Amino acid sequence: MMVVLNILLFILVTFLFKLLYENLSCYFLTPLRIKKIMEMQGVRGPRPSFFTGNILDMASLVSKSTSQDMKTISHDIVGRLLPHFLLWSSQFGKRYIYWNGPEPRLCLTETELIKEFLSKYSTVSGKSWLQKQGSKHFIGEGVLMANGENWYHQRHIVAPAFMGNRLKSYAGHMVECTKEMLESLQKGLECGQSEVEIGEYMAKLTADIISRTEFGASYQKGRKIFHLLTVLQTLCAQASRHLCFPGSRFFPSKYNREIKSLKMEVERLLMEIIQSRKDCVEIGRSNSYGNDLLGILLNEMQKKETSLNLQLVMDECKTFFFSGHETTALLLTWTVMLLASNPSWQEKVRDEVKRVCNGGIPSLDKLSKLSMVSN
């Protein structure tokens, strides 16, 4: 009996010692080693705080720069959104290092050096542990969070879904979704609405388009997934602020419970869509899983030599669903804002579209003739 207890005690002590060493290495020894190596090469940066690094410094600077509305509309918004980059580059030069918790971030502003890094070291660079943990329950191990060979392989799999001819086939969906958005705006105006939050309309528009192009006939469920992912992104962003503290991701906080619940609901909806595709193939209603993104991923999963599994298929769907819609929605919102603030250009663009399209709906063959819109 004593022998067993001694063995268990030895295992427990070994485990605790290993845990202590790993945390000490992660939060103190490794950052100190990296800091010294970078300083030997002449690369310095702001002094980090224990655990949090420069996170609090960045939050304070951003809070101060965005505390008031912009006085004028300007494209030069780096100083407003990323004031720490401007401040530290003026203090430490074109190359400097700052800390996101215990993880270092090397900031490069020299164009040639950036080109060299992206061309020579793209396979060994990628997302850090903190970045991957912060999005683990949001977009998982999709191509946006993959590194090295995994990134290359996943990118190769999803690329066909975004080829030129494939994108052209989505034009009908884009027109239909845009019509619905414009009708919604018109109804709001008819009901006496004098102001609208155009960003919300653009977010809904891009989400609808991606729902149809990614999930085909199951786009209604895609809309539900979009709503859940929006909430999930906010919660993951809030929870990731505490990742720099040891063990925070295991703490049964309100954020962590809600995140896991939302993740399960999103994946349940995705599994329903996936299962319906499988059922159609099994009963002979269809001879393939479809030619949209989900169909391409499911067809790839059937190959014996593939590393794709159901979890990765769902992660890829979540990745392209959210990242694709968000970037496009922001671009459209910014474009509409610029047109609204420059009425003369708004009239020029409107006149060109009416002239080229003869007052009808723009089509793919007419887009190349819209020189003013293209420029």
Side-chain angles (χ1 to χ4, degrees):
M1 186 68 179
M2 286 299 295
V3 175
V4 174
L5 286 174
N6 286 335
I7 292 172
L8 289 174
L9 185 62
F10 174 76
I11 293 172
L12 179 62
V13 170
T14 304
F15 173 76
L16 291 174
F17 180 78
K18 183 183 176 183
L19 188 64
L20 178 64
Y21 174 76
E22 286 180 351
N23 276 282
L24 187 65
S25 176
C26 176
Y27 290 94
F28 182 72
L29 298 177
T30 300
L32 185 64
R33 178 175 57 83
I34 293 172
K35 190 170 182 289
K36 285 185 176 180
I37 291 172
M38 298 305 291
E39 286 177 350
M40 288 170 63
Q41 300 177 69
V43 180
R44 292 176 171 80
R47 181 174 179 146
S49 300
F50 193 54
F51 283 140
T52 59
N54 299 116
I55 291 176
L56 297 179
D57 299 327
M58 291 186 284
S60 175
L61 288 166
V62 172
S63 177
K64 185 178 179 181
S65 66
T66 57
S67 60
Q68 295 181 343
D69 293 336
M70 295 175 67
K71 293 180 180 178
T72 57
I73 295 173
S74 171
H75 292 278
D76 186 13
I77 58 173
V78 177
R80 179 178 176 83
L81 299 181
L82 303 169
H84 44 287
F85 284 121
L86 292 185
L87 175 64
W88 293 334
S89 60
S90 66
Q91 290 178 343
F92 304 106
K94 293 183 177 180
R95 303 177 209 173
Y96 65 87
I97 189 171
Y98 67 99
W99 296 82
N100 188 52
E103 289 188 346
R105 298 282 189 270
L106 179 62
C107 182
L108 304 175
T109 57
E110 298 153 290
T111 308
E112 292 304 316
L113 192 59
I114 294 170
K115 286 181 181 178
E116 181 183 351
F117 177 81
L118 292 176
S119 61
K120 291 184 178 180
Y121 306 105
S122 60
T123 55
V124 295
S125 62
K127 304 301 180 182
S128 68
W129 180 86
L130 278 178
Q131 287 173 308
K132 291 170 78 72
Q133 282 297 322
S135 63
K136 180 180 178 181
H137 296 298
F138 177 41
I139 54 177
E141 295 289 331
V143 67
L144 198 62
M145 285 295 141
N147 290 333
E149 290 300 320
N150 287 337
W151 172 81
Y152 181 83
H153 178 63
Q154 288 174 225
R155 186 173 178 270
H156 177 73
I157 291 172
V158 301
F162 302 96
M163 301 295 281
N165 290 334
R166 182 92 58 173
L167 292 175
K168 287 179 181 178
S169 68
Y170 300 151
H173 295 313
M174 296 177 188
V175 170
E176 186 179 347
C177 293
T178 305
K179 277 183 177 179
E180 290 178 6
M181 183 208 64
L182 292 173
E183 288 172 3
S184 178
L185 272 170
Q186 186 63 39
K187 286 179 182 177
L189 292 172
E190 289 173 357
C191 293
Q193 206 173 350
S194 58
E195 288 186 8
V196 295
E197 178 51 68
I198 198 66
E200 293 178 2
Y201 281 89
M202 294 305 170
K204 184 178 181 298
L205 170 63
T206 53
D208 281 353
I209 291 172
I210 291 180
S211 294
R212 293 171 191 263
T213 56
E214 189 168 319
F215 301 118
S218 304
Y219 71 91
Q220 291 290 355
K221 285 184 180 177
R223 288 176 175 176
K224 292 180 183 177
I225 292 170
F226 163 71
H227 172 70
L228 292 173
L229 282 176
T230 305
V231 180
L232 191 56
Q233 184 200 32
T234 304
L235 290 174
C236 285
Q238 292 170 335
S240 64
R241 297 173 188 171
H242 310 294
L243 279 174
C244 53
F245 297 104
S248 62
R249 67 187 189 279
F250 302 115
F251 190 74
S253 64
K254 179 184 176 183
Y255 286 142
N256 288 342
R257 289 195 300 271
E258 289 183 7
I259 285 170
K260 288 178 181 178
S261 174
L262 284 169
K263 180 194 174 187
M264 289 173 64
E265 179 63 15
V266 168
E267 294 188 349
R268 183 188 67 79
L269 290 170
L270 283 171
M271 278 303 301
E272 286 181 3
I273 297 172
I274 290 169
Q275 193 58 48
S276 68
R277 297 281 181 102
K278 286 185 172 184
D279 291 343
C280 286
V281 172
E282 287 173 5
I283 64 176
R285 190 180 297 171
S286 175
N287 56 7
S288 76
Y289 294 107
N291 60 357
D292 52 16
L293 177 62
L294 180 57
I296 290 171
L297 292 171
L298 290 175
N299 286 322
E300 179 68 24
M301 196 177 74
Q302 302 309 307
K303 297 179 181 178
K304 292 181 180 179
E305 67 275 11
T306 187
S307 60
L308 213 58
N309 54 45
L310 267 178
Q311 185 59 54
L312 196 52
V313 167
M314 291 191 288
D315 288 347
E316 296 293 8
C317 287
K318 290 186 284 184
T319 296
F320 283 97
F321 192 97
F322 202 81
S323 59
H325 114 80
E326 190 174 40
T327 50
T328 309
L330 288 172
L331 178 61
L332 287 172
T333 303
W334 186 256
T335 303
V336 171
M337 184 274 293
L338 289 176
L339 286 173
S341 58
N342 295 275
S344 59
W345 274 97
Q346 189 179 149
E347 289 301 322
K348 290 177 184 178
V349 170
R350 184 181 288 112
D351 290 342
E352 182 184 59
V353 172
K354 284 182 178 179
R355 185 181 70 257
V356 173
C357 301
N358 296 318
I361 297 171
S363 57
L364 285 173
D365 59 308
K366 298 286 177 63
L367 290 181
S368 60
K369 299 176 183 178
L370 298 171
S371 58
M372 193 171 294
V373 173
S374 303
N375 295 331

